[in-house]
Amino acid sequence: MSGKAILQCKDVTVSFDGFKAVQGMNLSLEASGLRFLIGPNGAGKTTLLDAICGKVKPSGGSILYRDGIDLARRKEHQIAELGIGRKFQAPSIFPTLTVEENLELAMKQKRGILATLRAKLAAAERERLAAQLETVGLAGRQRARAGSLSHGEKQWLEIGMLLLQEPSLLLLDEPAAGMTDRETEKTGELLQEIAKDRAVVVVEHDMEFVRNFASLVTVMHEGRLLMEGTMDQVQADDRVAEVYLGKRREAAC
Amino acid sequence: MDVFWLQLFNGISVSSILLLIALGLAVTFGQMNVINMAHGELIMVGAYATYMTQKLFQSYLPASWFSQYFLLSIAASFAAAFLIGLLLEKTLIRFLYGRPLDSLLATWGVGLVLQQLARSIFGAPNVGVKSPSWLEGGLSVTQGLVLPYKRLFILALVAVCLLAMFLYIYRTTAGRRMRAVMQNRDMAACLGISTRRVDSLTFAIGSGLAGIAGCALTLIGPIGPTIGTYYIVDAFMVVVLGGVGKLVGTVFGALGIGMTNTLFEYWTTASLGKVLVFLCIVAFLQWKPKGFVAMRTRSLD
Amino acid sequence: MTQWMIKTGASRYGLAMWYFLAAALLLAAPLFTSDFRLNLLAKFLAFAIAAVGLDLLWGYTGILSLGHGVFFGLGGYAMAMHLKLQASGGRLPDFMDWSGLTKLPWFWMPFQSFGGAVLLGMAIPAAVALFLGFFTFRNRIRGVYFTILTQALVIISVTLITGQQAFTGGTNGITGYGQILGHSLAAPETKLALYYVTAGVLLATFVLARIVVKSRFGKVLRAIRDGENRVRFLGYDPSRYQMGVFVLSATLSGIAGMLFVLHVGIISPSMMGIVPSIEMVLWVAIGGRGTLIGAALGALLLNGAKSAFSESYPDIWLFFMGALFIVTTVFLPRGIAGLAVDGWRKARRIVRRRKEVPEHERKGYSAV
């Protein structure tokens, strides 16, 4: 790996009541670029993201961010403040807030009590909000309650929120789930676009999607790193075929 | 030293009653995610059922039979609380599944109505229940240490109930269904378990246990319409401390609350003791925020 | 469970008009009511202050506290202790004398000054709330668990105050004082002045609460209600916000308690117990949680009904209250305010259809 890594996971282990969902995973990310994380069910992909964003605490190993900030010692909101954004599988927006309010809260800003008590939407912020609404296709819906949006619209709203957060590292869990083909296409293009100046990790099951947009793919199996490479390399790899399809070599994808 | 042992014994005895009360709460909270504030009033129902049984024996049956009334009253109090619990579940609780705070408020209203009903029927003042003669006196362990039979009886009663619950939950088909629903409601429903029926039954059994607790309380002192409120908060603390999902958590919580309550009140005063217990609970929760046993999940909320 | 008020183009003026109307009504009330009724109304206005505070916590942030009676009571005790010291005129308060105390306990000292008492009447509830909030929210003890802990707080507070008779007056509470700052509490002029003070504080509370709710802080609170964890992954620390709103809410209850004592002339443990605490929740529930006006109106309405019924039929009142709890939570989760807004919307829709106004004018809603 060349260049400076923004994230370095070393021997990360996460266990739930004795069961090790991630065991000794290694992952290194550069400051920009799109990385797909794939692997069969139960490989520990989501758990790894959880460990990076602080939702679960690793029981071993280290997760170093930027200049050696140990994320395992930080709380979720601190990690988010450090510039790590996370999208969960199910759309999680604030249903009783309006679309606009959802975006306003997500915007990069001071997040202390006193700051939010005084905060006013500045003209520049208003413009950014409007631009973001345009990007995610929700212009004109800004005053609608987020809970009243369709599933796809909620996904887009959440992506919009993540972008306004201006993260340096974005962790996405199946962002295209439940989207139409056209929307999936749009999502992929958007991801490539934003990955130009930040690191983006995408957990994905849709191999079609991965093939279309991936440059680098990391394959996980049973909580460990199985291999890393381009999609072509991954597809040609015997071990990958084996974990996905069982022992029979001839059935490679 | 004898006094200390007696306090210890009292603590266990208080714990056992708390356990009986909290069992129903823990199970309904764990399984249906509802908080039943009227649970305290089900204790009261059990207590008054005992009182009624006693009255019936005094009025209609030969005096020589009187001493046997208590055994029957245990069954009567269980049945009365069971039925009221069933009614409550069918008419109200089922609309509030998964809304713990709302269920808390609505059932508090139910509790208020039940209390007032008791006041209208039996009058506001406390009434005494005459304990059967075979429970008078106590077991002398040493010169200064006498364990009252009443309290020993309560211990035995709770032990029997606990054993019955254990056998029910872990050894019967109905119990297995209950555990299935508690652990994964959707999956259980998919497998053809009538979750509605399981819920009703669980709730009613929990209520019935509260009824038995009420019956046991008549041995300790006079009973009144508000007897439930006195115990309910402690019972909730048991659930908070013990966590939900496993019987052992509730047992631990009940012992924790019952023992600390008794010992602190013995070492300090009743009012300061309560404060200390509360502080202990808050301190414990710093260590284990979800209670003694906690289930870890991967869902976001 | 949100805000159901419809914001129209003229909403700001409309709102100002409503405030003006409310202020005018409160100002004019003494002209139309007897002294007795006015005193009663003043008491209800004090309750409304507590209700607005509770609504910030429950309606907007989704945290249910069954312990606000404690904060209310602590405020009440602070004021009562001051009045008692004034009435005793340098000697020991009578109940301490009876309990055999010879010296004024140290923690009574600051209450000798009116300012000190008022300050502590807000600071003590705030401190207790901060203590409990700090040790619960930070550990993500929330929902029902938090609610149960607040109820335990009620139990221990009541037992403690009842048990420490020599220092607190025990079950009887603190009463037997007639003057505030040299004015007789019984005099009609004092009563009128106190009424205006209470009405003024209520209006100020309302404006403050509205500012809070409309600010980004308020949006974070509502976001916490919708999904605490999601808020966390946006980079906010929910526990700070929860603590903040809990402290604010407790302080408002403390203020309400202080005013209550001035109107009623007594505070005792029974006024801060489980039942009064949960009654406060009922005010908010009936009026409509998540709307400030609903909470305030709920307090006024329910207490009005209570004083009308409970004196003549105390039994029926308890049945009624129990039934109200059940009916509101099951059928009217948004309370009267929700009902009113639904009706208003329906009416607008009918009017709209007649005038055939295009639909797109129906915009968002504001948090009133």
Side-chain angles (χ1 to χ4, degrees):
Chain A
M1 290 278 129
S2 62
K4 201 162 183 237
I6 189 169
L7 188 80
Q8 283 253 320
C9 299
K10 265 192 220 122
D11 292 327
V12 174
T13 301
V14 180
S15 56
F16 295 106
D17 294 330
F19 166 71
K20 284 187 176 156
V22 176
Q23 33 190 335
M25 176 69 186
N26 292 304
L27 181 73
S28 172
L29 294 174
E30 285 176 48
S32 68
L34 186 56
R35 175 74 64 97
F36 277 85
L37 193 56
I38 64 169
N41 275 328
K45 304 173 302 271
T46 300
T47 311
L48 180 66
L49 295 198
D50 284 349
I52 297 172
C53 74
K55 186 163 179 276
V56 297
K57 292 281 163 241
S59 49
S62 68
I63 306 175
L64 299 181
Y65 179 66
R66 284 201 181 126
D67 302 321
I69 302 169
D70 188 1
L71 294 183
R73 293 165 167 272
R74 304 291 175 115
K75 292 191 170 180
E76 295 101 313
H77 66 95
Q78 292 168 328
I79 294 174
E81 275 286 71
L82 285 170
I84 298 180
R86 169 81 195 265
K87 186 193 171 305
F88 292 90
Q89 272 176 23
S92 61
I93 38 108
F94 305 114
T96 68
L97 269 59
T98 63
V99 169
E100 201 172 32
E101 287 169 334
N102 268 283
L103 292 172
E104 182 185 337
L105 290 188
M107 206 155 40
K108 192 176 170 75
Q109 59 184 297
K110 284 193 179 150
R111 298 179 197 275
I113 295 183
L114 293 176
T116 52
L117 262 175
R118 286 194 304 252
K120 283 263 184 314
L121 264 186
E125 291 179 317
R126 228 175 259 285
E127 270 166 34
R128 275 180 51 218
L129 258 179
Q132 196 55 249
L133 278 167
E134 205 68 50
T135 317
V136 295
L138 288 169
R141 305 285 315 263
Q142 68 265 36
R143 285 181 190 271
R145 284 205 318 152
S148 69
L149 299 179
S150 72
H151 185 80
E153 286 174 319
K154 282 180 189 161
Q155 294 271 35
W156 278 110
L157 173 59
E158 199 176 359
I159 291 174
M161 288 166 71
L162 281 171
L163 294 180
L164 278 176
Q165 240 177 296
E166 295 176 26
S168 324
L169 169 61
L170 194 49
L171 311 168
L172 303 165
D173 209 338
E174 300 193 38
M179 285 190 170
T180 62
D181 287 351
R182 239 195 63 71
E183 282 178 322
T184 308
E185 187 74 14
K186 198 178 154 196
T187 309
E189 283 161 14
L190 187 70
L191 287 180
Q192 282 189 325
E193 178 63 31
I194 61 173
K196 281 179 186 161
D197 48 9
R198 67 182 50 120
V200 179
V201 180
V202 181
V203 165
E204 194 50 74
H205 279 292
D206 181 352
M207 284 306 145
E208 185 67 30
F209 185 72
V210 178
R211 210 166 295 142
N212 287 342
F213 296 101
S215 49
L216 264 181
V217 179
T218 299
V219 188
M220 276 184 86
H221 178 54
E222 289 179 344
R224 285 192 191 87
L225 175 69
L226 189 67
M227 78 160 294
E228 214 163 65
T230 64
M231 193 59 188
D232 289 337
Q233 288 170 331
V234 166
Q235 274 178 314
D237 191 272
D238 286 351
R239 290 171 302 164
V240 175
E242 200 175 298
V243 302
Y244 264 99
L245 299 166
K247 290 284 178 196
R248 288 169 300 126
R249 248 210 73 179
E250 60 276 13
C253 46
Chain B
M1 206 54 206
D2 282 345
V3 186
F4 174 77
W5 289 113
L6 188 65
Q7 288 302 324
L8 206 65
F9 176 72
N10 281 344
I12 293 172
S13 154
V14 170
S15 307
S16 67
I17 294 178
L18 275 180
L19 176 60
L20 213 49
I21 300 169
L23 219 48
L25 283 177
V27 170
T28 45
F29 182 51
Q31 182 176 327
M32 299 158 233
N33 207 2
V34 292
I35 286 280
N36 181 18
M37 288 294 268
H39 203 70
E41 276 56 51
L42 292 166
I43 304 174
M44 174 200 75
V45 166
Y48 276 109
T50 308
Y51 174 72
M52 288 296 287
T53 318
Q54 172 207 256
K55 280 271 178 212
L56 285 176
F57 268 74
Q58 276 173 338
S59 316
Y60 299 107
L61 292 171
S64 57
W65 290 18
F66 178 73
S67 58
Q68 303 312 318
Y69 90 91
F70 200 76
L71 294 178
L72 187 70
S73 74
I74 295 173
S77 55
F78 179 84
F82 182 94
L83 288 176
I84 291 185
L86 200 64
L87 188 73
L88 189 61
E89 203 278 338
K90 295 268 185 212
T91 54
L92 179 67
I93 306 286
R94 57 186 297 185
F95 300 110
L96 298 167
Y97 282 169
R99 291 159 58 189
L101 291 182
D102 286 345
S103 67
L104 189 155
L105 291 178
T107 49
W108 194 80
V110 172
L112 205 61
V113 170
L114 285 177
Q115 254 182 42
Q116 193 51 36
L117 215 56
R119 224 170 265 136
S120 315
I121 299 172
F122 300 102
N126 286 353
V127 293
V129 175
K130 196 169 174 302
S131 310
S133 52
W134 46 273
L135 281 178
E136 299 299 336
L139 181 70
S140 311
V141 183
T142 62
Q143 197 64 36
L145 182 61
V146 180
L147 306 180
Y149 284 132
K150 284 178 186 171
R151 300 237 175 208
L152 285 171
F153 179 79
I154 291 174
L155 273 180
L157 182 64
V158 173
V160 169
C161 289
L162 205 62
L163 186 69
M165 270 310 272
F166 179 83
L167 290 177
Y168 174 75
I169 295 176
Y170 294 101
R171 293 284 183 274
T172 66
T173 320
R176 194 159 64 233
R177 289 199 181 119
M178 189 181 124
R179 275 184 295 147
V181 173
M182 197 186 278
Q183 281 162 19
N184 193 334
R185 172 170 296 269
D186 295 337
M187 196 61 201
C190 285
L191 292 175
I193 295 175
S194 164
T195 55
R196 288 274 327 110
R197 249 210 340 261
V198 174
D199 288 343
S200 299
L201 194 62
T202 310
F203 192 87
I205 290 177
S207 307
L209 287 178
I212 294 185
C215 175
L217 285 178
T218 60
L219 291 177
I220 294 180
I223 56 165
T226 55
I227 188 170
T229 14
Y230 185 78
Y231 289 94
I232 193 72
V233 179
D234 276 350
F236 274 126
M237 299 312 279
V238 169
V239 178
V240 170
L241 203 62
V244 289
K246 280 199 179 123
L247 214 56
V248 58
T250 316
V251 173
F252 169 83
L255 273 176
I257 301 279
M259 294 306 284
T260 41
N261 246 334
T262 316
L263 292 181
F264 278 137
E265 282 179 23
Y266 167 60
W267 281 324
T268 60
T269 62
S271 57
L272 274 178
K274 283 251 184 253
V275 178
L276 288 174
V277 172
F278 181 72
L279 292 178
C280 283
I281 292 168
V282 172
F284 179 83
L285 290 176
Q286 304 306 302
W287 176 47
K288 279 191 183 285
K290 296 240 147 118
F292 187 65
V293 294
M295 296 202 238
R296 273 182 95 165
T297 65
R298 276 175 59 172
S299 64
L300 185 53
D301 269 288
Chain C
M1 290 180 286
T2 37
Q3 299 59 51
W4 297 278
M5 295 304 278
I6 294 170
K7 191 187 204 169
T8 59
S11 76
R12 187 154 298 179
Y13 299 105
L15 202 74
M17 200 188 74
W18 282 109
Y19 274 95
F20 184 74
L21 197 70
L25 260 176
L26 288 176
L27 206 68
L31 300 176
F32 305 107
T33 50
S34 67
D35 283 353
F36 173 72
R37 297 247 165 241
L38 189 71
N39 192 34
L40 219 52
L41 182 61
K43 187 172 92 178
F44 299 166
L45 292 183
F47 286 152
I49 295 170
V52 170
L54 189 59
D55 192 27
L56 286 177
L57 185 69
W58 184 36
Y60 286 91
T61 326
I63 302 167
L64 178 59
S65 159
L66 295 182
H68 265 49
V70 171
F71 306 128
F72 184 86
L74 288 173
Y77 267 97
M79 182 57 77
M81 282 158 82
H82 169 71
L83 297 180
K84 189 75 187 172
L85 286 175
Q86 290 298 301
S88 311
R91 277 170 299 134
L92 268 190
D94 46 14
F95 64 84
M96 290 187 186
D97 228 9
W98 303 331
S99 311
L101 285 195
T102 50
K103 211 169 126 266
L104 194 65
W106 59 268
F107 61 88
W108 274 70
M109 300 290 183
F111 294 94
Q112 279 165 335
S113 86
F114 181 74
V118 170
L119 207 65
L120 285 171
M122 296 189 278
I124 295 175
V128 173
L130 187 64
F131 172 83
L132 188 62
F134 184 83
F135 285 109
T136 48
F137 297 135
R138 250 174 13 120
N139 280 296
R140 302 184 196 174
I141 296 166
R142 57 189 169 212
V144 181
Y145 287 82
F146 177 79
T147 305
I148 291 170
L149 285 176
T150 56
Q151 187 155 52
L153 178 71
V154 175
I155 297 272
I156 63 159
S157 307
V158 170
T159 346
L160 191 64
I161 291 180
T162 313
Q164 305 298 317
Q165 173 135 21
F167 305 109
T168 61
T171 324
N172 303 327
I174 301 179
T175 186
Y177 30 79
Q179 287 199 325
I180 175 170
L181 298 171
H183 304 282
S184 163
L185 278 171
E189 309 87 61
T190 322
K191 282 198 176 300
L192 189 64
L194 286 175
Y195 167 82
Y196 280 128
V197 168
T198 310
V201 174
L202 175 60
L203 278 175
T205 303
F206 221 89
V207 172
L208 173 81
R210 215 188 119 75
I211 290 173
V212 166
V213 166
K214 295 297 278 183
S215 71
R216 199 171 287 169
F217 178 86
K219 289 169 194 164
V220 178
L221 294 185
R222 277 153 60 213
I224 289 174
R225 180 188 60 192
D226 280 6
E228 188 183 322
N229 281 321
R230 188 71 188 85
V231 173
R232 204 167 266 134
F233 290 111
L234 280 184
Y236 297 93
D237 181 1
S239 66
R240 289 202 188 164
Y241 284 82
Q242 287 163 326
M243 271 185 252
V245 72
F246 190 39
V247 167
L248 174 63
S249 179
T251 312
L252 288 174
S253 269
I255 294 174
M258 284 194 270
L259 292 165
F260 171 84
V261 164
L262 294 178
H263 300 303
V264 181
I266 179 173
I267 185 81
S268 74
S270 68
M271 293 166 188
M272 56 193 284
I274 288 187
V275 176
S277 299
I278 209 157
E279 247 178 76
M280 291 164 81
V281 173
L282 186 57
W283 305 335
V284 180
I286 293 276
R289 59 186 138 161
T291 59
L292 297 176
I293 187 73
L297 281 182
L300 295 185
L301 275 177
L302 209 68
N303 282 295
K306 184 181 180 180
S307 68
F309 287 120
S310 69
E311 269 114 49
S312 25
Y313 314 100
D315 297 356
I316 293 181
W317 171 251
L318 282 175
F319 277 122
F320 180 66
M321 203 164 85
L324 263 184
F325 255 111
I326 302 167
V327 171
T328 338
T329 38
V330 178
F331 300 106
L332 263 185
R334 285 156 50 198
I336 296 172
L339 208 63
V341 171
D342 283 350
W344 168 246
R345 276 201 174 155
K346 208 172 247 174
R348 270 170 64 103
R349 214 167 295 151
I350 292 167
V351 172
R352 273 248 171 86
R353 238 173 252 150
R354 283 197 189 137
K355 289 188 182 169
E356 293 195 84
V357 173
E359 188 73 356
H360 71 249
E361 258 189 36
R362 261 205 301 155
K363 289 199 282 191
Y365 33 80
S366 79
V368 175

